[in-house]
Amino acid sequence: RKEVEQDPGPFNVPEGATVAFNCTYSNSASQSFFWYRQDCRKEPKLLMSVYSSGNEDGRFTAQLNRASQYISLLIRDSKLSDSATYLCVVNTGRRALTFGSGTRLQVQP
Amino acid sequence: ETGVTQSPTHLIKTRGQQVTLRCSSQSGHNTVSWYQQALGQGPQFIFQYYREEENGRGNFPPRFSGLQFPNYSSELNVNALELDDSALYLCASSLRGRYEQYFGPGTRLTVT
């Protein structure tokens, strides 16, 4: 079983739609959680950290459920520029970030 | 503030050869991590360097080695290249004790 699992998509949504991505992780000792965004053939960029209380940054909302070992990302009012791969990332307190394989989002006009 | 930089951008090597990839960390960051990203996959952790010493290693063979220099820049060396080593190699820098890592643009290595 993969340490971090994501639905690969693609999610094809119209501009203005709300879309949600989910992710599960297997290591209950995981301590820190992130969403990264990766455009085609580019490096991953930190989108937001995910806190137990949930957090919001503009159109983006992230939630963490430690009991279910589940992380979510909600994007409201989708823009064409949101088209990318979204990577769910977990840190277990070791040195490494553990990445999911990513969920592809395509926002269509 | 200068971001993470990597060189070269692209590289083509032949199976059995050796390669060195370079990374300069973001200004003020003292920890460097290296990742390998195969097509369609998330990045996989290779190792991390702090204070010029390896500080953690993923599931990669010893022919993957690295260095960190006093100015926090780093090198990734891969010996005896195999076809499966073809990938995007990403360097990420961070502050010691912080979990957020910031990535450079990567080096795309093709092994033929």
Side-chain angles (χ1 to χ4, degrees):
Chain A
R1 184 185 169 190
K2 287 185 180 178
E3 287 191 65
V4 180
E5 300 224 39
Q6 296 182 250
D7 180 344
F11 284 59
N12 295 303
V13 303
E15 270 187 291
T18 295
V19 62
F21 305 136
N22 303 319
C23 161
T24 56
Y25 60 95
S26 61
N27 190 332
S28 60
S30 299
Q31 297 183 1
S32 298
F33 309 89
F34 307 96
W35 285 100
Y36 278 73
R37 169 200 168 122
Q38 187 170 29
D39 293 291
C40 189
R41 302 183 73 83
K42 299 282 191 179
E43 75 273 23
K45 293 190 175 175
L46 179 63
L47 182 64
M48 57 199 306
S49 302
V50 187
Y51 305 117
S52 296
S53 54
N55 48 304
E56 189 173 309
D57 183 1
R59 299 182 291 110
F60 299 83
T61 300
Q63 297 278 352
L64 168 64
N65 184 322
R66 285 188 184 268
S68 302
Q69 295 180 203
Y70 168 98
I71 306 161
S72 66
L73 177 68
L74 183 79
I75 304 175
R76 289 181 298 278
D77 188 23
S78 299
K79 311 289 185 194
L80 293 175
S81 56
D82 294 334
S83 297
T85 296
Y86 290 83
L87 297 162
C88 177
V89 184
V90 169
N91 183 294
T92 59
R94 298 173 299 154
R95 309 296 184 248
L97 295 179
T98 301
F99 286 76
S101 295
T103 298
R104 251 183 67 209
L105 171 66
Q106 185 65 49
V107 180
Q108 294 162 339
Chain B
E1 186 179 272
T2 308
V4 180
T5 61
Q6 292 186 244
S7 63
T9 307
H10 295 87
L11 205 50
I12 300 174
K13 288 286 190 177
T14 302
R15 191 170 48 183
Q17 285 187 316
Q18 177 264 344
V19 69
T20 297
L21 309 182
R22 294 179 174 83
C23 169
S24 291
S25 62
Q26 183 168 318
S27 175
H29 285 186
N30 53 16
T31 303
V32 173
S33 304
W34 286 91
Y35 293 81
Q36 180 196 66
Q37 187 174 22
L39 206 58
Q41 301 296 317
Q44 299 289 313
F45 175 70
I46 303 174
F47 43 55
Q48 184 180 90
Y49 277 83
Y50 171 67
R51 284 191 173 177
E52 302 174 51
E53 290 192 1
E54 190 178 286
N55 193 36
R57 188 177 184 94
N59 190 26
F60 280 80
R63 61 190 185 84
F64 285 78
S65 63
L67 286 173
Q68 186 182 32
F69 301 99
N71 66 354
Y72 308 131
S73 66
S74 177
E75 284 182 357
L76 164 65
N77 298 290
V78 188
N79 292 323
L81 284 166
E82 300 176 1
L83 296 179
D84 283 350
D85 295 334
S86 295
L88 179 66
Y89 287 85
L90 294 159
C91 168
S93 74
S94 56
L95 279 170
R96 176 72 168 172
R98 301 281 305 180
Y99 293 127
E100 297 91 341
Q101 296 184 12
Y102 298 88
F103 286 82
T107 293
R108 193 164 296 279
L109 174 65
T110 302
V111 182
T112 62

